[in-house]
Amino acid sequence: MNAGRLLAQLTVLAIVVYCCYSAIVAAVPTNGEDFSNLMSNPVSIENPDDPNNPVSINATLDGLDLKLTIKTSLTSHFPQDIDDVYIKVFLGEKDLKILLADVQIGSLQSGIPNVIDKEVIIPLTLVGAYAICGASGEGIKLPIVAEVGFKYFKWAGEHLIDLGIGVKYVKECTFISAVPTVYNDGMDASITVNMTNGDDNLMKNAIDFMNSITGGGPLSMTCGDAEFIVTPGTDSVSFEAHGSDGKSAAQIIEEALAASEDGTITLDSPYGTTTINSENAGIFIDILKILYGGSA
Amino acid sequence: MSDYEITREETKLSKEEKKYLNSKARVMKRILFSIIEYVIVVMIMIALATYLQYHSFDNFIENLKSLKDWIQPGGMLFNAIVGFLPVIAVGCIGVYFGEGTVGRMVFGIARCVAVIVWFMLIFQGASTSLDLPEVLATMEIGGVSLDSMVVGTAGLLKFLLLIMCCSMLIPIGEFLGARRKHNDAYAHKQRLKAQVD
């Protein structure tokens, strides 16, 4: 029996139990009633301007991008503040993910309404380009990944829970991609995406949307010497990429990315411009490479 | 007590007393047990990982080979397995010293430090992104499945550091508690040595 060791062990146990207890009491409601309230309604979402519509989303077309204004007010019922909350929405999965929206909500303070008024710009050209990624002859899958991140459980200045969880929802579409054709000495490539049966609303909506921008004609975008043409048909959409000077469009964009100062690529069109930010630029080049017959 | 019994008592160190004195044999025993324990734990971990990934024990060897990229040098799993060896080594060497000696206390504290270094190796940096095993990624509920998970470990690391720093009190307490018994056993050993000479 070693009295000294026993005493030391009891002291360490007391310190550890105290730290755990103080951390838990600060972060989790110990009152039984509060706890069940928290579980059933952790965060209430309200809209002060429009009580019938908890989250108000305004969509406008800005050049070739879709601009969304999101307005809502969140009240968290957790005892502590939830810090560094963000929501990112991606199109694609694993290595080929296009960042559509990145909403940084910051801190959700407990008990008081946190007003969120954010603007999100969605590059529609990238959404369209993703249609190229379907494997030849198979149906196109649209995986949407929503990543929610937050930090909770504050203890001694650090957060014990620091999570970012990506949840994936895959929508199967009944339109089929095809094998891209590469011509003109490897400089140009084109692909036509068909609907299988006439009931697919998503494809119809996309074609109508494009016709509303261009008035029924093809949409042509340029970046330096590379040109991209999107032509909506009655139940198909075709994408063409044209390079020049012996280089394919993928190579031209790759060089433009390397030469640009802030890592962005700008596509111009008669209807407006769109800027692809540095994160998505690499993915855009990968998609172009798939179009030119290579793999990502 | 009769003369005979006094002599009997003093010719040998009792098993109890040997606990408080240095011993090479104890180190050998401890190394042997540590190695066996370590190998068993690593094998169980690998078997579990293989089972979680492939859901059966058929083709066990091929599955093992495909898991090779989980155990890359610099990866979390590799750090955890190999990084634990110094902890075992320090623990084994410390056992050479008897309880109540300064050496045992020093190695007890060194072992806590080694465990802290091991934790820091595992939780390198402020965030570790875990590559989900394929099994979790294919679990679907109504078309929704998990794509990725990023876990920030700065807070957890701090908490674990606190626990390990407190644990350093334990070798110190052990030293203080066993010092008298150690001094008695040591003195007994010196007496025996003097008798023989």
Side-chain angles (χ1 to χ4, degrees):
Chain A
M1 219 272 318
N2 189 335
R5 181 167 66 188
L6 195 61
L7 197 62
Q9 281 171 335
L10 286 176
T11 314
V12 172
L13 194 63
I15 296 179
V16 170
V17 166
Y18 172 70
C19 287
C20 289
Y21 177 72
S22 60
I24 293 180
V25 155
V28 175
T30 42
N31 185 345
E33 200 190 294
D34 285 340
F35 192 71
S36 60
N37 279 349
L38 182 64
M39 284 299 116
S40 58
N41 188 15
V43 178
S44 25
I45 306 179
E46 293 139 356
N47 192 341
D49 300 337
D50 184 0
N52 295 331
N53 221 354
V55 182
S56 80
I57 303 183
N58 260 337
T60 49
L61 202 58
D62 177 18
L64 289 176
D65 297 330
L66 193 65
K67 184 154 40 169
L68 295 178
T69 321
I70 303 177
K71 239 185 172 171
T72 180
S73 146
L74 299 175
T75 314
S76 139
H77 298 297
F78 285 86
Q80 269 182 358
D81 301 343
I82 310 180
D83 293 319
D84 286 347
V85 182
Y86 67 86
I87 302 182
K88 288 190 191 169
V89 182
F90 295 90
L91 175 61
E93 55 183 345
K94 298 275 184 306
D95 297 326
L96 206 69
K97 282 207 278 228
I98 305 176
L99 179 66
L100 290 182
D102 182 357
V103 184
Q104 301 282 346
I105 299 182
S107 251
L108 275 186
Q109 290 181 322
S110 97
I112 62 176
N114 299 280
V115 174
I116 298 176
D117 190 352
K118 301 274 175 193
E119 200 178 80
V120 168
I121 299 184
I122 299 184
L124 290 178
T125 40
L126 281 182
V127 175
Y130 193 77
I132 301 174
C133 290
S136 62
E138 286 177 14
I140 298 182
K141 288 201 204 334
L142 287 183
I144 306 224
V145 173
E147 187 180 307
V148 177
F150 59 92
K151 289 190 193 169
Y152 190 58
F153 225 125
K154 204 159 180 174
W155 177 80
E158 290 286 347
H159 295 92
L160 285 182
I161 300 184
D162 182 354
L163 273 186
I165 303 185
V167 174
K168 178 171 66 175
Y169 172 68
V170 179
K171 181 167 172 56
E172 305 249 0
C173 304
T174 53
F175 41 102
I176 296 185
S177 191
V179 180
T181 34
V182 181
Y183 50 98
N184 211 350
D185 228 3
M187 282 202 303
D188 301 341
S190 77
I191 190 175
T192 307
V193 178
N194 291 304
M195 281 202 308
T196 49
N197 48 42
D199 328 312
D200 195 304
N201 282 324
L202 198 62
M203 176 66 125
K204 270 218 161 58
N205 288 345
I207 296 181
D208 291 342
F209 187 69
M210 260 186 286
N211 284 331
S212 74
I213 301 182
T214 66
L219 173 64
S220 132
M221 293 168 277
T222 53
C223 170
D225 287 331
E227 191 187 358
F228 306 99
I229 306 182
V230 181
T231 317
T234 35
D235 44 1
S236 69
V237 180
S238 78
F239 299 87
E240 291 164 44
H242 298 280
S244 75
D245 267 351
K247 289 189 265 194
S248 73
Q251 286 167 323
I252 298 182
I253 302 277
E254 221 172 350
E255 287 164 13
L257 180 64
S260 89
E261 301 152 346
D262 50 358
T264 57
I265 299 176
T266 314
L267 295 174
D268 299 312
S269 89
Y271 306 97
T273 61
T274 175
T275 307
I276 303 180
N277 61 35
S278 43
E279 288 173 29
N280 289 334
I283 312 275
F284 185 52
I285 294 176
D286 286 342
I287 295 182
L288 284 179
K289 286 190 182 153
I290 295 181
L291 180 61
Y292 276 89
S295 51
Chain B
M1 276 193 257
S2 71
D3 277 327
Y4 176 68
E5 279 166 15
I6 293 176
T7 323
R8 254 203 93 197
E9 187 212 345
E10 291 195 350
T11 42
K12 265 189 359 179
L13 289 167
S14 72
K15 199 154 160 219
E16 168 78 15
E17 284 176 320
K18 284 207 182 132
K19 223 172 50 159
Y20 299 94
L21 297 170
N22 300 352
S23 151
K24 276 197 272 233
R26 207 164 42 210
V27 179
M28 293 300 146
K29 258 201 313 194
R30 179 64 182 263
I31 291 182
L32 189 64
F33 282 131
S34 291
I35 293 184
I36 296 179
E37 233 175 42
Y38 183 69
V39 166
I40 291 182
V41 168
V42 168
M43 297 253 61
I44 291 182
M45 265 175 38
I46 295 184
L48 207 69
T50 321
Y51 183 69
L52 278 182
Q53 188 90 336
Y54 293 106
H55 273 281
S56 79
F57 283 116
D58 311 332
N59 310 323
F60 189 59
I61 307 292
E62 286 97 55
N63 295 347
L64 264 187
K65 289 200 195 124
S66 74
L67 273 189
K68 217 165 40 144
D69 24 87
W70 273 26
I71 313 197
Q72 294 293 20
M76 196 164 128
L77 213 59
F78 185 78
N79 281 351
I81 295 181
V82 170
F84 201 65
L85 285 175
V87 176
I88 298 183
V90 171
C92 289
I93 300 177
V95 163
Y96 168 70
F97 301 97
E99 279 182 44
T101 52
V102 173
R104 176 74 81 110
M105 174 172 75
V106 163
F107 271 91
I109 296 181
R111 188 158 180 267
C112 291
V113 172
V115 174
I116 289 180
V117 171
W118 182 61
F119 278 140
M120 291 176 78
L121 252 191
I122 299 185
F123 296 124
Q124 259 162 0
S127 90
T128 322
S129 98
L130 299 173
D131 261 328
L132 284 185
E134 292 303 312
V135 147
L136 275 184
T138 50
M139 272 190 335
E140 266 189 42
I141 308 178
V144 177
S145 65
L146 262 181
D147 179 76
S148 66
M149 194 146 76
V150 174
V151 178
T153 45
L156 279 177
L157 186 59
K158 222 176 183 185
F159 192 68
L160 290 171
L161 284 189
L162 173 83
I163 297 185
M164 286 326 293
C165 286
C166 289
S167 318
M168 287 198 212
L169 286 178
I170 297 183
I172 299 179
E174 186 188 59
F175 170 71
L176 292 173
R179 206 153 63 129
R180 207 171 80 159
K181 288 231 176 102
H182 163 74
N183 287 339
D184 288 345
Y186 191 65
H188 189 189
K189 183 167 162 195
Q190 299 299 79
R191 276 203 303 275
L192 286 178
K193 249 170 87 173
Q195 268 190 346
V196 169
D197 294 340

